Amino acid sequence: MTPEIIVIGGGAAGMLAARRAAEGGAKVTLLEKNDRLGMKILISGGGKCNLTHAGPMEQVRAKFRANEARFLKPSFYRSTNEDFLKILHDRGMATYVRPDGRIFPVEPANAKDVVALLTGYVAEVGVNVKYGAAVTGLVADNGRMTGVEVGGKVLKAERVIVCTGGSSYPATGTTGDGWKWLTALGHTLVPLRAALAPLYLSDAEPEWSGVALRETTLRARSGPGGKEFMRWTGDLLFTHKGLSGPTALGISREIAERSEESAVEADLSPTQTWEELQIDLRRQAIENPRKTAASLAAPFVPARLLEPLLTSAGVAGETRGAYLPAKSLNKLVTTIKGWPLGTVRHVPLERGEVVAGGVVLEEVDPQSMHSKVVEGLYLCGEILDIAGPVGGYNLQAAWSTGWVAGEAAARL
Ligand SMILES: Cc1cc2nc3c(=O)[nH]c(=O)nc-3n(C[C@H](O)[C@H](O)[C@H](O)COP(=O)(O)OP(=O)(O)OC[C@H]3O[C@@H](n4cnc5c(N)ncnc54)[C@H](O)[C@@H]3O)c2cc1C
């Protein structure tokens, strides 16, 4: 008997699930509400698509929180980053690894080409893709899947893979639909929160918008001068409303999880200790007595931010370094090592690259992605309580869990 499977959601997880299930001998229908597959992949990595992360899967897995990493272990070993790249390479798309381990298509190929390739990959095995098919509910009887509601009708199916994604960037089609259906069937959710999202500051400086700081450590504290609870090193981008870029995204989940207000500060010289920087600036001031405080501070920020940095340190830029009192020099060092950028008023969930929270992992079998609540139901991708860091980790989680769900659902 040929199993009939409905896959709901043609994103990263859904495409892999549909392909794998059809390859495993199932008759597969993929229902996608948009008129194309992979809308979120199209905007991934700024349109370039950070496909996955390089390295052994053990290392890739270790970047997730402990419970998520435990859950991902079987799927990450069953369907690896190399396995995914082979799909692309076999179909003529070259990829390269950036020095930080992030993997992208070799340009001019971009996210659009990735989606086109994967759309073909799904079609190769005869998956019946239905576009404009917005599912409105799941139907189960006595704890077993019996069908899917779409267009006012019920499509019968005893095996259903739900991969409707998260709820950020709702214009891409991910409006959190799956969570409503799953809770109605008895699944529970870890509360949804922003992750990999920009930070909106209480006193944002719109005129700094567009300025970027390279190789900066952004730290989060429980209020100004409070205990540090998260840090991330990389690029930092100022926006109209506050901060973005990998560092802001990297600390956003931890900030969003806290009820009290968080303060953020930038270490503009993360490779030096406070003492090393102080000795360095003092030496420069002595060796070049005419050097001003402004030129001592200039290497640490773009020109537009030099004056604000000096103001924050309480140091007049034109003061010759040689005449700078030790107290002022120390204040400059302290500001370079931890420039207070303000308090975070909001972390917008809808602007996140992923949503933290989702279906409780204990309710899903990590070997098969089969629901432990409803027979015949499989869950994969971002709908689960999984949110990795920036770097290709989230797409890898979707590729791997999708693959395993498709494989398991096709098994008789
Ligand atoms: C701006 C941005 C940039 C990103 N960049 C990267 C990156 O470079 N690298 C990386 O690893 N991750 C990146 N991510 C995260 C990554 O895109 C997601 O983790 C991944 O797409 C999740 O895959 P998924 O299949 O679970 O969900 P999605 O890819 O979101 O797919 C869900 C699909 O379900 C469909 N759907 C939803 N509801 C219904 C319904 N009712 N009926 C039918 N279909 C429905 C949606 O239309 C969608 O096609 C980025 C995310 C964003 C927002």
Side-chain angles (χ1 to χ4, degrees):
M1 196 186 84
T2 307
E4 290 195 18
I5 298 172
I6 291 182
V7 179
I8 310 174
M15 287 195 275
L16 275 273
R19 161 77 193 213
R20 189 64 185 149
E23 225 167 42
K27 188 171 167 232
V28 181
T29 303
L30 172 57
L31 303 177
E32 167 54 52
K33 66 153 72 150
N34 291 322
D35 57 6
R36 61 195 304 176
L37 301 179
M39 280 279 275
K40 207 168 242 178
I41 299 173
L42 283 182
I43 58 166
S44 67
K48 292 186 190 316
C49 190
N50 178 191
L51 299 156
T52 181
H53 205 90
M57 288 311 280
E58 194 48 36
Q59 277 173 23
V60 175
R61 195 172 80 85
K63 291 289 181 182
F64 290 79
R65 286 193 176 175
N67 68 319
E68 300 174 17
R70 258 195 314 278
F71 179 86
L72 286 169
K73 188 171 183 177
S75 51
F76 270 15
Y77 287 115
R78 180 75 195 99
S79 158
T80 69
N81 46 5
E82 293 295 335
D83 292 335
F84 179 71
L85 293 175
K86 187 168 185 307
I87 294 170
L88 306 186
H89 298 165
D90 285 352
R91 287 161 185 79
M93 179 178 281
T95 60
Y96 75 102
V97 185
R98 288 197 183 166
D100 62 3
R102 297 163 73 188
I103 301 182
F104 288 83
V106 172
E107 288 179 39
N110 58 22
K112 230 163 106 184
D113 301 296
V114 174
V115 171
L117 189 151
L118 292 176
T119 303
Y121 177 67
V122 167
E124 275 170 21
V125 286
V127 172
N128 176 18
V129 183
K130 290 194 188 300
Y131 295 100
V135 171
T136 50
L138 299 175
V139 191
D141 187 21
N142 264 332
R144 304 183 86 86
M145 284 310 303
T146 57
V148 166
E149 287 172 6
V150 56
K153 287 194 231 146
V154 174
L155 294 183
K156 284 192 180 162
E158 290 180 358
R159 299 180 192 195
V160 177
I161 304 176
V162 180
C163 29
T164 47
S167 57
S168 68
Y169 283 80
T172 63
T174 49
T175 43
D177 302 0
W179 285 317
K180 281 175 268 172
W181 319 326
L182 295 170
T183 46
L185 288 183
H187 270 288
T188 31
L189 297 186
V190 173
L192 306 177
R193 287 176 310 279
L196 305 188
L199 305 175
Y200 292 174
L201 299 179
S202 299
D203 293 303
E205 304 277 1
E207 64 277 16
W208 298 358
S209 176
V211 178
L213 297 174
R214 305 284 172 218
E215 279 311 298
T216 295
T217 296
L218 188 64
R219 287 192 289 255
R221 295 188 181 278
S222 49
K227 194 170 177 320
E228 177 185 332
F229 61 86
M230 189 62 191
R231 61 168 65 189
W232 199 273
T233 301
D235 294 346
L236 174 64
L237 180 70
F238 289 91
T239 66
H240 268 94
K241 293 183 177 170
L243 305 172
S244 190
T247 51
L249 269 52
I251 65 173
S252 61
R253 182 179 182 182
E254 283 69 19
I255 292 178
E257 279 171 349
R258 296 174 84 90
S259 48
E260 75 270 27
E261 203 174 53
S262 304
V264 282
E265 64 186 33
D267 181 345
L268 306 171
S269 183
T271 54
Q272 287 178 300
T273 64
W274 189 97
E275 289 75 17
E276 285 166 352
L277 179 62
Q278 194 232 27
I279 291 167
D280 187 24
L281 294 188
R282 164 91 35 234
R283 181 188 49 76
Q284 289 185 46
I286 292 167
E287 285 175 5
N288 310 287
R290 297 185 64 76
K291 200 165 188 170
T292 60
S295 43
L296 286 176
F300 299 97
V301 275
R304 261 164 85 186
L305 298 188
L306 183 56
E307 199 49 50
L309 177 72
L310 291 164
T311 306
S312 184
V315 172
E318 67 280 7
T319 315
R320 301 270 176 226
Y323 299 110
L324 205 59
K327 212 168 144 192
S328 300
L329 184 89
N330 290 352
K331 187 71 203 302
L332 182 59
V333 172
T334 300
T335 309
I336 293 170
K337 287 296 295 170
W339 187 18
L341 298 176
T343 53
V344 179
R345 71 172 164 82
H346 184 51
V347 189
L349 186 145
E350 70 287 356
R351 303 292 303 162
E353 286 199 4
V354 278
V355 172
V359 174
V360 167
L361 298 180
E362 286 73 19
E363 295 178 357
V364 178
D365 174 7
Q367 303 283 346
S368 62
M369 301 298 140
H370 188 257
S371 159
K372 293 181 186 170
V373 176
V374 184
E375 184 60 37
L377 175 65
Y378 298 80
L379 308 172
C380 52
E382 202 183 323
I383 198 161
L384 299 168
D385 175 28
I386 293 172
V390 172
Y393 299 99
N394 289 298
L395 278 174
Q396 186 59 53
W399 312 132
S400 294
T401 57
W403 181 269
V404 165
E407 189 166 75
R411 239 177 259 138
L412 277 174

